[in-house]
Amino acid sequence: DNQLNIEAEITDEIYKNLCGRFLIILKNVNDIRITTDPGSQLAVVYDECNKIVASSPAIISTCCKIEKNDEIVKEVTRFDNTIWYPFGLVPYEKIKRILPGRRLNLLSGEINSIQYQVDNLLNASPKTIAKNIFDRVSSNIYAISKSGPLKAHLTAGYDSRMVLSSCLLTVDNITWQTIKLDNTGAKIDCEVAKKITNVLNLKHEIIFFENAEKKDIEDWLERTSYCIK
């Protein structure tokens, strides 16, 4: 019980100070506990019988045989066989995905709900909440930048510009990239990104879009466990 309390305190403390996509993995003599971020943005699936956890069923299939769940496949693809499977649904027998805010006890198979503590922001103003997000994103990008040069995507959209603004004061080893398509698509992204980086004197490069060959597509489908057809 004391060990469980210590692990809960560690998890809660990490939750309070991290943002974005992450996993918390705690191992002790009795079990391995895996906790997702509040949005479960890093895919984590597990095999209940073989006690295997991975980022996709394709990886699990390299360790043991997996079988398609024909009932799920039939229902999901009844009207459209190119559709994405709904979040959290895995079209394989005895393989499940860890959902947002959950902790998996791998050896026992037990799933626990994790409370994400945001009490101090429940009644905060939008400005305070935005500042909180800004600080967390800034600190995380700064920590990552210590390992070496970074590359980040920049478009005309607000989301990538928010990321850019959060690291202007702390990170100077980022090369910003924008994808250019063969047709007129993404033209505004290239123009706006170039203007922003010129004004701020930032490193920027245009990446030209490359059409994938059939083999590349098949390899990608295999790596993503055929989540779409």
Side-chain angles (χ1 to χ4, degrees):
D1 290 342
N2 185 48
Q3 178 68 35
L4 290 176
N5 290 332
I6 293 174
E7 291 182 357
E9 290 176 6
I10 293 173
T11 301
D12 289 343
E13 189 61 31
I14 292 174
Y15 257 48
K16 291 176 183 177
N17 292 284
L18 287 182
C19 66
R21 299 184 293 179
F22 62 84
L23 292 175
I24 302 173
I25 302 176
L26 294 173
K27 180 181 179 181
N28 61 32
V29 294
N30 298 317
D31 211 341
I32 300 173
R33 293 178 171 82
I34 303 168
T35 305
T36 66
D37 63 72
S40 192
Q41 297 178 74
L42 281 178
V44 182
V45 294
Y46 64 99
D47 183 324
E48 295 180 284
C49 298
N50 296 296
K51 310 301 181 186
I52 301 173
V53 64
S55 59
S56 75
I59 296 177
I60 293 179
S61 70
T62 64
C63 303
C64 60
K65 185 178 180 180
I66 62 176
E67 301 287 346
K68 278 289 187 89
N69 186 317
D70 293 331
E71 183 178 358
I72 291 179
V73 173
K74 180 180 178 181
E75 288 300 318
V76 172
T77 61
R78 176 180 296 183
F79 303 109
D80 183 358
N81 65 359
T82 64
I83 194 171
W84 287 92
Y85 283 96
F87 180 85
L89 190 62
V90 181
Y92 294 93
E93 296 283 357
K94 301 178 181 178
I95 295 180
K96 296 181 179 179
R97 175 168 178 171
I98 304 180
L99 298 179
R102 300 295 192 276
R103 177 194 290 134
L104 166 68
N105 298 337
L106 183 60
L107 300 184
S108 67
E110 184 181 0
I111 294 283
N112 303 116
S113 177
I114 303 297
Q115 180 67 40
Y116 186 49
Q117 301 293 335
V118 292
D119 295 343
N120 60 323
L121 294 175
L122 290 179
N123 299 313
S125 67
K127 184 176 181 179
T128 299
I129 294 175
K131 177 65 166 54
N132 182 273
I133 295 173
F134 176 88
D135 290 341
R136 293 190 181 196
V137 173
S138 296
S139 63
N140 277 268
I141 295 177
Y142 177 74
I144 295 172
S145 72
K146 297 291 99 179
S147 64
L150 304 178
K151 293 183 183 294
H153 196 57
L154 181 62
T155 68
Y158 288 120
D159 51 355
S160 65
R161 284 192 274 172
M162 289 171 65
V163 173
L164 183 148
S165 67
S166 66
C167 55
L168 280 178
L169 300 178
T170 57
V171 181
D172 59 3
N173 61 342
I174 296 181
T175 298
W176 299 93
Q177 299 178 328
T178 308
I179 297 176
K180 180 179 178 59
L181 304 178
D182 291 335
N183 53 29
T184 57
K187 181 179 180 181
I188 189 173
D189 286 334
C190 294
E191 292 180 351
V192 171
K194 195 64 179 177
K195 288 182 179 179
I196 292 174
T197 52
N198 282 342
V199 169
L200 298 174
N201 194 27
L202 301 174
K203 299 174 186 176
H204 179 255
E205 58 187 23
I206 300 294
I207 304 297
F208 290 91
F209 182 82
E210 295 183 11
N211 290 311
E213 301 292 337
K214 184 176 181 180
K215 183 180 184 304
D216 295 327
I217 295 174
E218 287 297 324
D219 289 344
W220 179 82
L221 287 172
E222 172 66 23
R223 291 198 307 273
T224 57
S225 299
Y226 294 89
C227 55
I228 59 173
K229 284 191 175 182

